[in-house]
Amino acid sequence: MKPLISVWTQPKQTIRYVLEYKTWNYSFFILFLTSVSVGLTSFAETDLLPDLSLPLIILLSILSSFIGTIISLFISSALYTWVGKWLGGTGNFKDMVQMSPIASIPMIWMMPINLLLVIIFGKNLFVDMMNNADAAVFGTLSIVLLLTNLLTLALGIFGTVILSKGIGIVHHFSSWRGFGTILIVTGLFLALLIPFLLFLIFVLLAY
């Protein structure tokens, strides 16, 4: 079985195959490929690194994406394990860490598109389009990024479906309960994030 392909039509079988026959190294390899795919355009339209060369911008984008996904992997896996057990699951943290990257496989298939964007638009892809680009580039790139963002959203939804099934497999309960686990974890995150953002806004307005 080839997980990069089989996950599209056989997500449950693919997850079981990875848990049984693969190691953490394989899951981290999947995570690395995802970071490269997403990282190619993660700084798009940010204008964060205007003085750096294009290769260096891409390298820093991929590196920051990989570090961020590693941190997110361990935090989310711990939460999925804890919340899933609260919902009656029997899974463990090790299997959750090994399974979770499989849900990001659809994003890997964005790599050719994102690489093509970098080749065609170069550094224009990473500048603040509202202030720095000419009208022709701005119009074309805006349409292209809108389409790629819609495709990324669709792949993200499918990734959530895969993750729901994976959580269900690890915890030995239904995919719907796995989806419920994701919703609870997302709710916990928002419950912590919103007060922090309100506090940050209050501090900024105070000064």
Side-chain angles (χ1 to χ4, degrees):
M1 179 172 281
K2 298 179 180 179
L4 289 177
I5 298 175
S6 62
V7 74
W8 292 96
T9 56
Q10 300 174 297
K12 284 189 173 182
Q13 294 89 329
T14 301
I15 292 167
R16 291 192 179 99
Y17 171 80
V18 170
L19 289 174
E20 185 172 355
Y21 296 106
K22 298 295 184 179
T23 64
W24 274 30
N25 290 337
Y26 182 80
S27 294
F28 279 104
F29 174 66
I30 293 296
L31 208 64
F32 172 73
L33 290 180
T34 303
S35 299
V36 173
S37 177
V38 175
L40 283 170
T41 57
S42 63
F43 284 174
E45 296 189 280
T46 61
D47 208 24
L48 289 176
L49 307 169
D51 299 324
L52 298 182
S53 65
L54 180 60
L56 191 54
I57 291 175
I58 294 173
L59 178 62
L60 291 176
S61 298
I62 293 174
L63 182 60
S64 63
S65 178
F66 184 63
I67 293 174
T69 52
I70 289 291
I71 295 172
S72 175
L73 171 65
F74 284 102
I75 293 176
S76 62
S77 294
L79 291 172
Y80 292 147
T81 303
W82 173 67
V83 173
K85 287 185 176 181
W86 178 63
L87 293 177
T90 58
N92 60 68
F93 177 73
K94 175 181 176 297
D95 287 344
M96 196 66 71
V97 170
Q98 188 175 352
M99 178 281 300
S100 293
I102 306 305
S104 67
I105 286 179
M107 289 300 179
I108 295 175
W109 290 91
M110 283 293 296
M111 192 184 300
I113 296 175
N114 289 337
L115 182 59
L116 191 61
L117 288 176
V118 172
I119 293 173
I120 293 175
F121 293 102
K123 286 194 69 173
N124 283 324
L125 184 64
F126 302 98
V127 301
D128 182 357
M129 298 299 295
M130 294 297 294
N131 299 321
N132 298 320
D134 59 62
V137 175
F138 173 76
T140 303
L141 185 53
S142 295
I143 294 173
V144 171
L145 288 179
L146 175 61
L147 294 176
T148 56
N149 287 337
L150 290 174
L151 179 57
T152 300
L153 176 61
L155 293 176
I157 292 173
F158 183 59
T160 302
V161 172
I162 297 173
L163 184 59
S164 300
K165 295 179 182 293
I167 293 174
I169 290 172
V170 171
H171 275 303
H172 300 98
F173 54 40
S174 69
S175 300
W176 281 108
R177 195 174 296 188
F179 181 61
T181 301
I182 296 173
L183 291 180
I184 292 173
V185 170
T186 302
L188 290 173
F189 176 76
L190 291 176
L192 294 174
L193 180 62
I194 292 175
F196 173 77
L197 291 177
L198 291 176
F199 173 76
L200 184 61
I201 292 173
F202 174 78
V203 171
L204 292 175
L205 291 176
Y207 288 93

